[in-house]
Amino acid sequence: MQKRTGSFLLIGLFLLSLNAVAQDKNFYIFLCFGQSNMEGNARIEAQDTVNVDPRFQVMEAVDCPAINRTKGNWYTAKPPLCRCRTGLTPADYFGRELVANLPSTVRIGVINVAVGGCKIELFDKDQYTSYTTNVPGWMKNMIREYDGNPYGRLVEMAKLAQKDGVIKGILLHQGESNTGDTLWTKKVKVVYDNLMNDLDLKPKKVPLLAGETVGADQNGKCASMNKIIATLPQTIKNSHVISSAGCTDSADDLHFNAAGYRELGKRYATQMLSLLGYKPMATN
């Protein structure tokens, strides 16, 4: 019996050592979710497709045979970073800015699950079923790409990613479809708390970075929502609001243009670098 117990102990220690070897503590992973401004609405320009450091990776959250990507695998983070035909996102230049400013031993990975036009309720695992009942058909088509459950897909991909690296933060850009909703911060907290529990994360170690909608200085149609977004740190202690002031937008005054996404992404990165104990030195 003692020999058998000893064998089981050795096997357990061996398996633990394999996991330790597989997980790279210098592979920083960030979860990204939200609606169309996180999904990426701007056309990807030539400058966005070159000089992407292979240290910046994206885990594909859907199958994209047209660009030779398979769900659940890592690829150099050349856009699109959300789904197969989405545009430029804040995550693009967030990752580029991080790798430009962090030690060469550090890699960055992003997982982006976003659905244009959705309310925050779509990411509430207890509310999404009832919420999706009455959404437009075009939104249902996007949700279907995540097997009907974007939150579930985000968690599924995040668990895979945790085998490779360490989740260091969460990026949110959402709120346009909840404009005027004074309960928005509490609804975001439900999603954040669920992620902490489902992924066994500690809130003190995993900050939430939430970007403002297109600002009033750009005549943003949902700019009033920024007053509500500004109160998020009162509800989630380890949350930080990323200003959109000066980030240029498209003609619809709802979405940022490519230049706006680049700037906003860099601002997410500046905040994250500060939280990691680094001061930005380079700009990609």
Side-chain angles (χ1 to χ4, degrees), residues 30 82 114 117 128 133 150 152 192 222 231:
F30 297 89
C82 187
Y128 80 95
T133 301
Y192 177 77
C222 299
T231 67

Side-chain angles (χ1 to χ4, degrees), residues 14-54:
F14 175 70
L15 291 174
L16 283 173
S17 68
L18 282 180
N19 183 64
V21 170
Q23 188 186 58
D24 181 358
K25 300 296 184 183
N26 285 322
F27 188 16
Y28 296 176
I29 295 163
F30 297 89
L31 310 182
C32 309
F33 74 101
Q35 57 181 108
S36 54
N37 273 317
M38 182 57 79
E39 183 182 61
N41 188 264
R43 184 185 297 275
I44 297 164
E45 299 177 0
Q47 64 179 296
D48 306 314
T49 65
V50 297
N51 301 321
V52 182
D53 193 317

Side-chain angles (χ1 to χ4, degrees), residues 114-146:
V115 175
C118 76
K119 290 187 174 183
I120 193 63
E121 284 85 346
L122 180 61
F123 291 93
D124 183 334
K125 65 180 182 179
D126 296 319
Q127 300 291 332
Y128 80 95
T129 302
S130 58
Y131 169 70
T132 55
T133 301
N134 297 313
V135 301
W138 55 264
M139 191 187 299
K140 287 181 179 178
N141 289 336
M142 291 189 286
I143 294 170
R144 199 171 292 122
E145 293 192 54
Y146 300 115

Side-chain angles (χ1 to χ4, degrees), residues 24-30 53-57 94-110 164-168 272-273 276-278:
D24 181 358
K25 300 296 184 183
N26 285 322
F27 188 16
Y28 296 176
I29 295 163
F30 297 89
D53 193 317
R55 288 167 49 219
F56 178 28
Q57 301 269 302
F94 167 77
R96 292 185 185 211
E97 191 77 355
L98 286 186
V99 297
N101 285 278
L102 290 171
S104 60
T105 53
V106 175
R107 294 182 296 141
I108 299 298
V110 295
D164 301 321
V166 181
I167 295 174
K168 289 286 189 176
M272 195 65 226
L273 285 166
L276 291 170
Y278 293 89

